[in-house]
Amino acid sequence: MKAAKYTILVLILTCASNLPCAVQAQRAPSEMIATSQLELMPVPASVQMQAGRLPITSSFNVMVKSYADDRLRGGIARMLRRLAGRTVFSFPADPATDESTATLVVQCERAGDAVPSLNENESYRLEVTDKQARLSAPTVVGALRGLETFLQLLQGDRDGYYVPGIRVQDQPRFPWRGLLIDVGRHYEPMEVLKRNLDAMAAVKLNVFHWHLTEDQGFRVESRKLPKLHMLGSDGLFYTQDQVREIIAYARDRGIRVMPEFDIPGHSTSWLVGYPEIGSAPGPYKIERGAGIFEPALDPTREQTYKFLDTFLGEMAALFPDAYMHIGGDENEGKQWDRNPQIQAFMKEKGIKDNHALQAYFNQRILKILQKHGKKMIGWEEILHPDLPKDAVIQSWRGPDSLAAAAKQGYNGILSAGYYIDLIFPASQHYLADPIPENSTLTAEETKHVLGGEATMWGEWVSPETIDSRIWPRTAAVAERLWSPRNVTDVDDMYRRLSVISRHLEELGLTHEKNYGMLLRRLGGSDDTGPLRTLASIIEPVKQYRRYQMRPQTMLSPLTGLVDAARPDSEAARQFKANVDAFLSDAPRFALYRPDLEHTLVEWQTAGRALGPTIDRSPALQEARPLANNLSAIAAAGLEAISHLSAGDAVTGEWRDAQLAKLDEAAKPSAALEFVVITSVRKLVIAAAELPQLRATTPAEWKKRVDTQTTPGHK
């Protein structure tokens, strides 16, 4: 589901103060590492710490017992390269042959499914002692998942590198854990797809949902209907050999590749070359804007189904996955309403409305897919009383809608809450659950909830920026879909997420590297300190407000400050934590005041220094209001801290003036918004109500300040 119909889930965050209760830690001797020091993501189903540590030295080697194939050997080779990169060791080139001297023994029972499938067994067991590590799994994919966990266990101290003594018993909570990448709106080169597949494997995602067709582009070669890609892609498409290459690359990492060909709406690019299957006369042109467009396939003509039989049959032979996604979303039926032949067909067949007409279309498509050995999946619009039960529903509306489909006997996956293109923080995605704790589904009905997918819709991403929109936040989604439901500690998630983010860089991900590059380009200088300070506490506007605030087309360069700024500000989270601690009780005033003042002075200095940078960079002209507001925000915070520290009483006029200043700064500019306004407002409110602060307990004061902080302000 795309912009016009997406409904944001309102989540109540209830964060535990301890380590997730799925991590079962025994009371340890003094030499045992604490579970709170582990950096595992996703959190395994069961972890038990034990005494001892396994040294990792240049003699580290791996022995494979029982079954081994090219996939497993390739996975071990990749693991060794990453381990070497982290430790700077050169490891033996040949595998170990003596089990008693091997550092890591991998025991795999069988290959598993020849084509990665929904039923793949991904479980594994890992035990590490001070003598040896042993990884056992029923399938190669399970062994690959265990190798990722082993890598995440690596620790280092003055005595060298090691893996702590541990027992892990692990398997995923859901069998469908996916990432959708929309290449229809913006084409993404092969290297982008491959590095994201590597990242998916690192966090145990297992479905690459390849959204290949859109109004803005048809991205796959069709040898039987060549005008589809020749006229509908601007020359930016994947050849069938490249498709096979991606499928093989994903298979080697235990990842399914499911294509999506969006019909009957979102189909302008189909009709550029073949207008005869459209619901209105051509000619058609590739769409350059963002949004929902009218063109739709004609569901009343047999020619349409013959055409789709040819194309889908060709794609069914190319893509081995059991499922094929037909989209089915956001067809508003305007062309259908204006077409006399379509209206006459509906009257003749007793089809009462466009929803019923699309259901007729879906049933015809389902038969075509079944003919070619595929199962159908589509967005919620395909759900209809006449829809066969073997269709799968992808939900953009939320867990309640998904549960309703499950109660009707339909398998489904959740994407509501995982729309990573909406620029919400990882914490919000993390608490969205396909089967919430208050679910009323029976045990049998819950089996119909297969999992979920993060969705990277492609309106505002380029090869330079797409990684920063997917990662590291999608690792939080991956944990939600793999780990037990009760793993919900947001603070601990962020602790581990920062580590996983660094690990992802070794796979070639550019979410950190390109940040500095984009800022240097914008500023026209290597000295980006002030600009980086500003960028660290602003985020792109949420949901789909960018459409209205900064109009662009699919041909526009995505190189502005809004493209450099990242979705989940770590600096803002840290500032909030410091402000909350500063205001929590009197002793902490003195403890946290220096850090807060240092941060606010840095903002104030950066705001003033940005003027010359903006003057020499026309691309940054739109950021001038942000620079001015940065200084104003900092000044308000510094004044508030000064009054709080001195115990000065302030007037109501001062408070109102500061809050008005912050309200003005909270207004988005250049499709960007500050994410520290709420915290600075707390400081201002506290300064204005110092007498009440002294007369209340910390808990009462926190409640008072929180309730007076205007909802919705950043």
Side-chain angles (χ1 to χ4, degrees):
M1 265 318 300
K2 323 303 188 300
K5 295 188 176 180
Y6 184 74
T7 302
I8 303 301
L9 289 178
V10 179
L11 300 174
I12 300 175
L13 306 183
T14 53
C15 303
S17 60
N18 301 317
L19 195 72
C21 48
V23 181
Q24 305 163 6
Q26 300 172 335
R27 184 171 295 276
S30 59
E31 70 270 18
M32 188 185 299
I33 189 171
T35 54
S36 60
Q37 293 177 261
L38 294 178
E39 295 163 349
L40 299 177
M41 195 168 205
V43 169
S46 174
V47 174
Q48 292 181 313
M49 305 307 300
Q50 54 188 13
R53 53 190 259 172
L54 177 66
I56 304 298
T57 68
S58 59
S59 62
F60 180 91
N61 58 10
V62 182
M63 178 182 178
V64 180
K65 289 186 63 177
S66 301
Y67 180 84
D69 61 10
D70 288 344
R71 283 197 302 165
L72 183 53
R73 284 187 286 268
I76 292 171
R78 292 192 299 274
M79 184 272 290
L80 286 171
R81 282 196 298 271
R82 290 158 68 191
L83 189 63
R86 295 183 198 177
T87 61
V88 201
F89 290 142
S90 296
F91 297 124
D94 298 324
T97 56
D98 185 347
E99 183 176 351
S100 65
T101 60
T103 315
L104 171 64
V105 177
V106 178
Q107 183 164 356
C108 179
E109 295 177 12
R110 61 185 186 278
D113 297 337
V115 175
S117 80
L118 184 64
N119 300 315
E120 187 84 61
N121 188 331
E122 300 177 81
S123 67
Y124 67 91
R125 299 174 68 179
L126 176 63
E127 181 167 7
V128 180
T129 68
D130 56 357
K131 303 296 184 185
Q132 192 177 66
R134 300 188 70 89
L135 169 63
S136 59
T139 67
V140 167
V141 173
L144 294 176
R145 305 297 183 241
L147 289 171
E148 294 294 343
T149 298
F150 182 82
L151 264 177
Q152 291 181 0
L153 285 167
L154 181 69
Q155 304 279 329
D157 59 20
R158 66 178 61 187
D159 295 323
Y161 288 102
Y162 67 95
V163 173
I166 198 169
R167 289 177 182 166
V168 176
Q169 174 72 53
D170 202 11
Q171 66 280 327
R173 181 180 170 208
F174 293 107
W176 193 308
R177 308 177 310 281
L179 170 63
L180 177 153
I181 297 182
D182 167 17
V183 298
R185 293 176 173 88
H186 277 104
Y187 172 83
E188 301 295 341
M190 292 283 284
E191 62 267 22
V192 172
L193 302 181
K194 286 183 176 181
R195 71 190 185 220
N196 276 280
L197 285 166
D198 285 330
M200 290 174 64
V203 295
K204 301 181 175 66
L205 291 174
N206 68 350
V207 182
F208 171 38
H209 179 163
W210 203 353
H211 187 85
L212 283 160
T213 67
E214 260 305 334
D215 293 298
Q216 297 87 350
F218 196 99
R219 304 299 184 197
V220 63
E221 176 191 20
S222 173
R223 296 174 181 174
K224 295 185 177 181
L225 299 163
K227 287 190 289 185
L228 285 171
H229 67 273
M230 292 175 66
L231 300 182
S233 72
D234 291 315
L236 298 172
F237 63 91
Y238 306 97
T239 67
Q240 293 196 6
D241 285 342
Q242 288 177 317
V243 169
R244 294 186 186 94
E245 185 179 343
I246 290 295
I247 291 169
Y249 195 90
R251 178 184 177 274
D252 284 347
R253 289 148 181 80
I255 297 172
R256 296 167 42 208
V257 178
M258 178 186 68
E260 179 178 354
F261 309 107
D262 207 346
I263 48 177
H266 288 279
S267 57
T268 305
S269 64
W270 298 67
L271 303 175
V272 175
Y274 297 93
E276 61 270 21
I277 62 170
S279 298
Y284 290 87
K285 296 188 298 183
I286 297 171
E287 299 290 355
R288 301 305 185 188
I292 302 173
F293 302 94
E294 291 187 7
L297 305 186
D298 187 341
T300 68
R301 298 164 69 180
E302 287 304 310
Q303 181 183 5
T304 301
Y305 299 105
K306 291 178 181 178
F307 180 96
L308 291 173
D309 187 11
T310 299
F311 174 74
L312 295 176
E314 182 183 16
M315 293 299 106
L318 179 61
F319 289 91
D321 194 73
Y323 291 86
M324 187 171 287
H325 205 299
I326 66 156
D329 61 309
E330 293 180 338
N331 172 35
E332 297 180 341
K334 292 180 180 179
Q335 285 191 344
W336 293 356
D337 293 337
R338 294 194 298 266
N339 186 313
Q341 287 77 26
I342 291 176
Q343 293 302 307
F345 179 90
M346 292 172 67
K347 184 175 181 179
E348 177 188 347
K349 298 288 186 179
I351 298 174
K352 62 180 181 178
D353 56 26
N354 288 338
H355 183 54
L357 180 59
Q358 185 155 333
Y360 166 84
F361 174 82
N362 291 339
Q363 290 167 7
R364 296 288 302 269
I365 297 303
L366 178 65
K367 291 178 181 177
I368 292 172
L369 292 179
Q370 289 173 334
K371 169 186 171 183
H372 296 292
K374 298 298 182 185
K375 300 177 182 178
M376 187 170 84
I377 175 172
W379 297 98
E380 269 167 319
E381 282 89 338
I382 74 169
L383 188 57
H384 186 275
D386 296 330
L387 185 70
K389 290 295 190 289
D390 60 356
V392 176
I393 307 301
Q394 185 161 5
S395 173
W396 56 268
R397 293 188 175 105
D400 290 345
S401 177
L402 189 65
K407 288 178 182 291
Q408 297 176 55
Y410 290 99
N411 288 340
I413 59 175
L414 182 70
S415 280
Y418 306 140
Y419 270 51
I420 52 178
D421 64 310
L422 296 183
I423 316 295
F424 286 113
S427 56
Q428 182 159 327
H429 301 307
Y430 191 58
L431 275 299
D433 198 297
I435 307 175
E437 194 170 4
N438 62 356
S439 173
T440 59
L441 292 177
T442 66
E444 192 62 30
E445 289 167 345
T446 60
K447 295 177 183 178
H448 290 296
V449 180
L450 304 179
E453 286 186 356
T455 56
M456 183 66 258
W457 298 111
E459 285 90 343
W460 310 123
V461 289
S462 71
E464 289 183 341
T465 63
I466 187 170
D467 294 357
S468 71
R469 296 318 190 233
I470 299 176
W471 307 104
R473 291 178 300 145
T474 296
V477 179
E479 178 158 289
R480 175 55 48 239
L481 299 175
W482 178 283
S483 302
R485 177 196 286 160
N486 54 11
V487 178
T488 55
D489 186 331
V490 171
D491 289 339
D492 190 65
M493 178 273 290
Y494 273 120
R495 176 187 69 82
R496 292 175 289 113
L497 190 65
S498 65
V499 178
I500 297 304
S501 181
R502 294 196 299 273
H503 290 172
L504 292 173
E505 286 191 278
E506 72 192 24
L507 299 170
L509 272 291
T510 63
H511 59 295
E512 291 291 345
K513 181 181 73 174
N514 281 4
Y515 180 58
M517 178 271 291
L518 289 164
L519 294 180
R520 288 191 296 274
R521 177 196 290 163
L522 282 166
S525 170
D526 289 335
D527 181 13
T528 60
L531 185 58
R532 185 179 285 264
T533 297
L534 171 64
S536 72
I537 56 170
I538 55 176
E539 293 176 3
V541 290
K542 308 297 183 278
Q543 296 175 271
Y544 294 103
R545 289 186 289 159
R546 177 168 173 166
Y547 288 107
Q548 292 77 34
M549 299 188 65
R550 203 172 186 274
Q552 291 178 290
T553 74
M554 298 303 103
L555 300 179
S556 301
L558 301 176
T559 54
L561 187 56
V562 67
D563 302 297
R566 293 179 288 191
D568 198 350
S569 168
E570 182 178 355
R573 288 197 307 274
Q574 185 59 56
F575 183 74
K576 177 184 183 300
N578 287 347
V579 167
D580 289 346
F582 175 72
L583 295 176
S584 62
D585 56 60
R588 296 196 188 186
F589 267 55
L591 181 62
Y592 284 91
R593 176 182 174 183
D595 281 346
L596 286 173
E597 288 184 328
H598 175 79
T599 298
L600 291 164
V601 168
E602 183 182 14
W603 295 355
Q604 192 174 57
T605 303
R608 293 168 179 166
L610 278 168
T613 300
I614 293 172
D615 288 341
R616 66 173 178 264
S617 176
L620 283 174
Q621 291 298 322
E622 63 181 358
R624 196 177 295 278
L626 294 166
N628 295 336
N629 284 330
L630 179 60
S631 296
I633 292 166
L638 286 168
E639 286 186 40
I641 289 176
S642 177
H643 288 303
L644 282 164
S645 300
D648 296 338
V650 299
T651 64
E653 289 78 7
W654 177 88
R655 167 192 155 133
D656 292 345
Q658 301 306 313
L659 293 181
K661 187 191 304 181
L662 293 174
D663 285 345
E664 186 64 27
K667 296 176 182 177
S669 180
L672 290 157
E673 56 189 348
F674 284 100
V675 285
V676 292
I677 301 293
T678 294
S679 297
V680 180
R681 286 177 62 87
K682 285 184 178 181
L683 292 172
V684 171
I685 292 169
E689 303 197 2
L690 187 59
Q692 293 93 324
L693 170 60
R694 288 170 171 164
T696 59
T697 66
E700 291 170 335
W701 171 245
K702 182 179 185 304
K703 182 178 180 181
R704 183 181 184 90
V705 173
D706 286 347
T707 57
Q708 294 190 48
T709 303
T710 306
H713 277 261
K714 295 292 177 186

